[in-house]
Amino acid sequence: MHNFLFGIYPYIAITVMVMASIARYERDPFTWKSKSSQILRKRQFIAGSVLFHVGVLMIFAGHLVGLLTPIQIFDFLGVGHGAKQLLAVAAGGVAGIMALVGGLLLLHRRLFDPRIRANSTLADTGIMILLMMQLLLGLATIIVSLGHLDGEEMVKFMNWAQSIIYLRAGAADYIVDVNPLFKAHIVLGLTIFLLFPFTRLVHMFSAPIRYLWRPGYQIVRSRRGARPAGTGLTPLPRPGMEPGE
């Protein structure tokens, strides 16, 4: 089971996340949204949204840099494993608390405001609960990490993550003896990746970057300075129309 969860399940979760996200976008791109309810309890929404999103972005960046940066780079820069561990504990603790407080504010709105609850799906509420559980597990691992300030435990996770990314054999062996809290944190994180394409989380990719290479859904032509036809005013020219037509 250990080899499956930490050697095979990561590839299943990542593959489903990528392929199902692409399929959802190609099939119905208009569902890539968060169905915002910001007009309801707006003050609570703004406070919760800012804290949650800033905290999550900090956590994501910290995990990305901390786990996927080759150990040789830290050694070259003179950053010891212990120093890196302390930085991860401090920055991760602050970011985790911010995201947890913000997420709880958002979850409270969704659960206890009748209008928001009536317009929420099981997936909307369920994914928020899973995210709160993940944040709690992450904060709990900080307590465990304080007992390993030499940074050697973190090196195990770096080797595991990089082995998964670079398709190296034996990735699961690196974390076979780590604390169960870390294992639960990893499994739940992978499960969130697996569920990602089927929930509101896809809105994190809803920025209009597609306009860099493809036309959008709507073309708007300004009528500023134009005169409507039939009223003595000149209509806007159509594409391919010669002047005077």
Side-chain angles (χ1 to χ4, degrees):
M1 181 58 73
H2 176 84
N3 287 331
F4 172 79
L5 289 176
F6 303 104
I8 300 174
Y9 188 44
Y11 295 110
I12 296 174
I14 293 171
T15 301
V16 170
M17 181 182 73
V18 173
M19 299 306 295
S21 294
I22 294 173
R24 176 174 176 176
Y25 184 77
E26 291 299 322
R27 181 173 180 272
D28 196 353
F30 291 105
T31 64
W32 279 48
K33 58 184 180 178
S34 62
K35 296 185 293 184
S36 176
S37 58
Q38 65 187 64
I39 62 173
L40 304 174
R41 293 199 183 189
K42 189 172 183 179
R43 209 174 277 181
Q44 184 177 354
F45 171 81
I46 292 174
S49 184
V50 170
L51 285 171
F52 178 74
H53 286 90
V54 171
V56 166
L57 286 174
M58 290 174 61
I59 292 170
F60 180 77
H63 280 66
L64 194 66
V65 174
L67 291 176
L68 300 184
T69 301
I71 297 174
Q72 293 81 0
I73 293 180
F74 288 108
D75 293 340
F76 176 77
L77 295 174
V79 180
H81 300 325
K84 183 175 180 292
Q85 179 76 70
L86 282 173
L87 178 61
V89 167
V94 171
I97 291 172
M98 287 176 60
L100 181 63
V101 171
L104 288 174
L105 287 172
L106 296 176
L107 184 60
H108 178 270
R109 288 175 70 254
R110 193 163 295 280
L111 291 176
F112 294 100
D113 189 298
R115 293 175 296 178
I116 300 175
R117 187 171 65 248
N119 288 282
S120 299
T121 65
L122 178 62
D124 292 337
T125 305
I127 199 64
M128 281 300 298
I129 292 174
L130 288 180
L131 288 171
M132 295 305 99
M133 292 171 59
Q134 180 70 341
L135 288 168
L136 285 171
L137 280 172
L139 290 171
T141 63
I142 291 177
I143 299 174
V144 179
S145 297
L146 291 175
H148 302 278
L149 291 180
D150 57 359
E152 292 306 313
E153 287 289 289
M154 179 171 287
V155 172
K156 296 178 182 179
F157 296 112
M158 293 173 68
N159 285 323
W160 170 77
Q162 291 173 35
S163 294
I164 292 294
I165 294 298
Y166 299 122
L167 307 178
R168 298 170 186 159
D173 296 338
Y174 285 107
I175 56 173
V176 68
D177 59 348
V178 300
N179 190 286
L181 276 175
F182 289 111
K183 293 183 178 182
H185 186 57
I186 292 173
V187 171
L188 184 53
L190 293 171
T191 302
I192 291 173
F193 284 175
L194 186 74
L195 298 174
F196 179 94
F198 314 105
T199 68
R200 61 193 288 116
L201 290 181
V202 294
H203 82 277
M204 69 179 290
F205 292 141
S206 62
I209 56 174
R210 74 187 300 275
Y211 295 105
L212 295 175
W213 70 89
R214 293 173 65 183
Y217 303 110
Q218 183 179 25
I219 298 176
V220 179
R221 294 187 177 93
S222 172
R223 297 189 63 84
R224 184 177 301 168
R227 293 179 295 175
T231 60
L233 301 179
T234 304
L236 287 171
R238 296 189 301 273
M241 179 186 290
E242 296 294 331
E245 288 186 357

